[in-house]
Amino acid sequence: MSGSTFGHLFRVTNFGESHGPAIGCVIDGCPPGMALSEADIQPDLDRRRPGTSRHVTQRQESDQVQILSGVFEGLTTGTPIALLIPNTDARSKDYANLLDTFRPGHADYAYWRKYGLRDPRGGGRASARLTAPMVAAGAVAKKWLQAQHGIGFLAWMAQLGDIEIPFTDAGQIGLNPFFAPDAAVVPRLEAAMDELRKAGDSVGAKIVCRATHVPPGLGEPLFDKLDADIAHAMMGINAVKGVEIGDGFGVVAQRGSVHGDELMPRGFASNHAGGTLGGISSGQDLVVTLAIKPTSSIRLPRASIDRANQPTTVETHGRHDPCVGIRAAPIAEAMLALVVMDHALRHRAQNADVSLPVPSIPGRIA
Amino acid sequence: MSGSTFGHLFRVTNFGESHGPAIGCVIDGCPPGMALSEADIQPDLDRRRPGTSRHVTQRQESDQVQILSGVFEGLTTGTPIALLIPNTDARSKDYANLLDTFRPGHADYAYWRKYGLRDPRGGGRASARLTAPMVAAGAVAKKWLQAQHGIGFLAWMAQLGDIEIPFTDAGQIGLNPFFAPDAAVVPRLEAAMDELRKAGDSVGAKIVCRATHVPPGLGEPLFDKLDADIAHAMMGINAVKGVEIGDGFGVVAQRGSVHGDELMPRGFASNHAGGTLGGISSGQDLVVTLAIKPTSSIRLPRASIDRANQPTTVETHGRHDPCVGIRAAPIAEAMLALVVMDHALRHRAQNADVSLPVPSIPGRIA
Amino acid sequence: MSGSTFGHLFRVTNFGESHGPAIGCVIDGCPPGMALSEADIQPDLDRRRPGTSRHVTQRQESDQVQILSGVFEGLTTGTPIALLIPNTDARSKDYANLLDTFRPGHADYAYWRKYGLRDPRGGGRASARLTAPMVAAGAVAKKWLQAQHGIGFLAWMAQLGDIEIPFTDAGQIGLNPFFAPDAAVVPRLEAAMDELRKAGDSVGAKIVCRATHVPPGLGEPLFDKLDADIAHAMMGINAVKGVEIGDGFGVVAQRGSVHGDELMPRGFASNHAGGTLGGISSGQDLVVTLAIKPTSSIRLPRASIDRANQPTTVETHGRHDPCVGIRAAPIAEAMLALVVMDHALRHRAQNADVSLPVPSIPGRIA
Amino acid sequence: MSGSTFGHLFRVTNFGESHGPAIGCVIDGCPPGMALSEADIQPDLDRRRPGTSRHVTQRQESDQVQILSGVFEGLTTGTPIALLIPNTDARSKDYANLLDTFRPGHADYAYWRKYGLRDPRGGGRASARLTAPMVAAGAVAKKWLQAQHGIGFLAWMAQLGDIEIPFTDAGQIGLNPFFAPDAAVVPRLEAAMDELRKAGDSVGAKIVCRATHVPPGLGEPLFDKLDADIAHAMMGINAVKGVEIGDGFGVVAQRGSVHGDELMPRGFASNHAGGTLGGISSGQDLVVTLAIKPTSSIRLPRASIDRANQPTTVETHGRHDPCVGIRAAPIAEAMLALVVMDHALRHRAQNADVSLPVPSIPGRIA
């Protein structure tokens, strides 16, 4: 039972491989009547696309999205929105070697054991290229959530390898290739990446993603809690190995008298929770942190086996990101938007009639 | 769209509230022909149940499970297995105060905003009591996975507050009330809990859960990756705020040449991955770490609001766990078992015909 | 992947066997804040329960339903509603013979081939007794649909064997054991059933079910059309072999100029469609017709095989309905209500924001 | 919650509109390792495509399918198979009139009330053109089912208007534009259609679809019975108003002693059941009958309303099928194949370990 559909009511089905003719997705369940064109989607794709700095893969893809269905005279019709992104810079003439061996840390071996065969060209289905349709679908969700609820999404890099990145200025995030919210740290990041590239190695990163103005009430206990579905979405992004909501692993040593965010008529006094209580949004900002592992495709030689279980050595050349975390910020935003969108629809399906005599308190004290 | 069903093919639907007549679940999709009786389920429930030491809630529940359906002459029939656990020690005569105010850090406020009303008795639907049916369902999954694949599950406490617990002896886990794999640390844990109880406060914990002998191939990219579904399951457990697979947040500062586990004919040389590659099980042990927040129900006074958005102060008396992490080990095992079980069925649905000429390599070098 | 859950947003999970300790269901996704008690459910169960006339099985079951969860102080809370119906008159001491042979036309053989074993007591999982929890869940849906939209459900018998039953008076339906909307035909039905019982045989029936005041817009093309989901629900009822919407098989010989219901400002001029256009409710009454086959459990001897594929003869004694169609009317209403309920929630999840400048036209010209 | 995905494990997501740039689908969950190319799919598309005789719409579409993903070196990889069919003969320059009024019997009105807007060009999403991707997906399922189980599918026209078509020769079905299994009736069908076209009217039809060599055990009670899912699939095909399994509505007047198919070691003695017992395949042939209503788009004037609820008259010109039943046979086969395929995977997910000491009996006595 292949799992290429995300979401229950705002459903996104992703297809394609790194070196096939095209990648894309079908969005089923988008509310009708929303203005939508390629111009709403392209900016996020441009933030994610490869080849934009020397620190990421040099594959040149313009990632031009086409809307094939679901829009009539500029408005969504409520029927499936098919999005197509042609692959234009696939170079896969020589993959015989890739097919026969398995990169340590890569999906190669697991795909082969699962399906008995795999498309090895550019990582095939396991390629981070498949995050492009996620970003495209997320852009549609973002537009609706902004229009309906004023919800905004913002992700940034908080650490690259052992370099911690302070959050000093959100305005900087879009101005450097690292999505770093601090201008001063950028030269250090560039130097580290240059060194890494020379070494033929890769490194991990930490990404933080935040959603603001999320209304209270989103999330479906007992199992489809909002934070649980966020964890599902985030851990499913290529290379993610850890997910935190709010204080995350910091809660282990906390006391309850510190952790529990006090409620006041003017708003929540703090946000240790990261936006969810009992798996339901509280009205506080959603704050999610991701750990992204170092890329598996590196030039340094590693011990491995081939398809006959014989020992071999693998060195990976070609075009690869030495830190996939660098382009992960738009992906994290998109996946968070897909979760919130799905839950916005799920919530109103059951609870559209609920009304309370007092408004919800602000997410934080102004 | 309430989310009280877990799993796609091995589907568990959970019902009940802390102080209702009974809690329970329905398991749909269990393979037929497996020997099953209450005796297969009760031991895990006994490991989780309250009142077994002075460090947990003093509510007395025997948590005796009854199988209502799906078993004939001692064998599963393939039809739904309904499990019922009566509530016997509910004390809820006075909940008017609970109904009107919201404990900081608790689900109270979010449930109210979502549904417009809530059952406040003992935490209602948000109570950790609802993990009992999870544990019961997990026991059924564990039995099948053990019989079919030899898969074993083991969880333990790795940290309580600021006390780190070394893994010195798995045999100790069942011998102390903390699920601590180290005998020497137990007196310190007891002292810390006694102090905490006196202080009227609560504290967090870290739990590690491991599954051994997991076959390669489980997991359904692009979205229902094994690690993504584990993250979903784990973040959905009451009070969990962080989930790691393998090295987790340790990967941020790692290099690819360190992180990627080398493959050898005798097995994987290491297990930084924690058992998944590309979201598919590799044959390595699954290793999952959880951060559990401090309980919200504490005696210390906290600022909050009431249902009219007026300021108030909340002190929570009654029977509560000062560290819900203490009883979390069997819950983590159960949820991990449910994920692996669901994926074992999902995998064979699509890939039952796959056969490869060489066996999978061992999960680790012996 | 066992299929014991019905619905996507208003989800009903059914469990139990004919002679187990209890049967029941869990309703997940019910909107909160609706007044609900056993008294809302029991009347429909009483309409369906066995032993109420000499024309149905003489098994004595009071079918007293208990609400185990999801209701607090008389209101639904939005959490799962577990409904339990104990089995009280199970007599299954001697089922060895049943276990070894297969009744022609019965599920016996198919269950055995599928699962490798089966609970043979009273038909086990395949018993029509499992329609009781469907009726109970349907009663919850009916209450919400009546309160929110004024939707009403009514089913009746339109034919028993070769006796056609005219629709002369809806008021008669509740006054005779056949759910016949005509008083004059009842003596003929009684005589036919008496003859049948003596003959040790069984007979089929035709049931019509109608829903009134259904708002336009329900139904989710391309695959989950309202009529498609009705067909799924109805064909899934025990013994159903045919389903029609509106004119049904009558459309084969119709011309388009006759079939298409003309629209007028005062309402639709006719209702050949049976309430759906393009798989979406039109505002016309839903009209569904079911063909119910004759019961398989008959006294007359039939040729069959045993579990060793050896020829044998089967005669079925014990308590059985000679026409399961007699008790089918409340079941049809319940399943139709579950479909409409699920679609009411599905529709508003996606389209809650849609508003049109003119109201929908009436379902029919007054 | 838009319903454009069909199936649970073999999942097909359909997208597109009649006059958009392309239509297509994504198949998720196809088993890996099966040889697949466009040549496996095109023949069924050619059987369904328009413009092949004077009796169907004259729109010229070659319906050339492209595989965009999921196949590597000619074999399925287990990842999503995206199929694209460009629209090449859309003529939609003048649809202003269509947009403002509603054809009696057509989806126009219902789509508008549901979504608040609709794509009116060529019927938009409600067009029978969207059955092309169903046929394409069905071809993939057919190939696997034939290879794995020897299952074959065949559908034919059994009645057109009031002309009953005897089943005299399956070999004739592919030799006439009506899918009629009788050569002698074809001139009458042609004359009837010519008359109808002149009259500017349309007519209904009856289609029978059969699957042979279906193994016993497919179907998932209590709700996802094989026949229930077949009814869902078939009632969801454009214009279908009735579905029968086996004897269908003929069972109403049958006695149990006639209806129940006797089992013999050599096979079933008859097939009144139409291939399912208790909602599970019995090993008998699946036999499904569909009633297809007359097309709503006719030249004859009909009374209707406009978007302001004002009375108007509608005449539909342009290219339309006067009997959509004529091209329905390949669609029925495809949808039946999708149901059987999904259930083949669902069955083995749960029951792959079931083995019985004796083989199943043949579907019929040879």
Side-chain angles (χ1 to χ4, degrees), chain C residues 149 151 212-218 262-268 275 277 280-285 347 354-366, chain D residues 102 108-116 305-310:
Chain C
H149 295 288
I151 302 175
T212 51
H213 299 297
V214 179
L218 308 188
E262 293 185 310
L263 296 84
M264 299 180 181
R266 293 171 300 143
F268 284 89
L277 293 171
I280 297 171
S281 64
S282 61
Q284 298 169 285
D285 288 352
H347 176 59
V354 172
S355 70
L356 288 170
V358 294
S360 57
I361 61 171
R364 61 189 124 176
I365 294 174
Chain D
F102 311 113
D108 296 338
Y109 177 72
Y111 264 77
W112 178 63
R113 295 284 351 162
K114 181 176 188 68
Y115 297 114
I305 56 172
D306 63 18
R307 285 193 290 181
N309 273 7
Q310 296 305 305

Side-chain angles (χ1 to χ4, degrees), chain D residues 95-108:
Chain D
Y95 54 78
N97 184 53
L98 285 171
L99 193 55
D100 200 48
T101 61
F102 311 113
R103 284 164 284 183
H106 199 279
D108 296 338

Side-chain angles (χ1 to χ4, degrees), chain A residues 152-166:
Chain A
F153 295 88
L154 184 66
W156 60 89
M157 182 178 279
Q159 189 172 338
L160 185 149
D162 52 11
I163 306 172
E164 295 187 25
I165 303 169

Side-chain angles (χ1 to χ4, degrees), chain B residues 1-2 4 9 11 14-17 21 28-29 32 68-70 72-73 76-77 79-80 82 95 115 118 120-121 125, chain C residues 1-2 4 9 11 14-17 21 28-29 32 68-70 72-73 77 79-80 82 95 115 117-118 120-121 125:
Chain B
M1 182 195 182
S2 189
S4 289
L9 301 194
R11 299 169 67 77
N14 180 303
F15 66 86
E17 287 89 29
D28 197 18
L68 293 183
S69 66
F72 176 64
E73 295 191 334
T76 59
T77 59
T79 62
Y95 53 78
Y115 297 115
R118 65 192 169 92
R121 301 166 301 166
R125 183 68 178 155
Chain C
M1 182 197 180
S2 189
S4 289
L9 301 195
R11 301 169 65 78
N14 180 302
F15 66 86
E17 287 91 27
D28 197 18
L68 293 182
S69 65
F72 175 65
E73 296 190 333
T77 59
T79 63
Y95 54 78
Y115 296 114
L117 79 166
R118 67 194 167 91
R121 302 167 300 167
R125 182 69 176 153

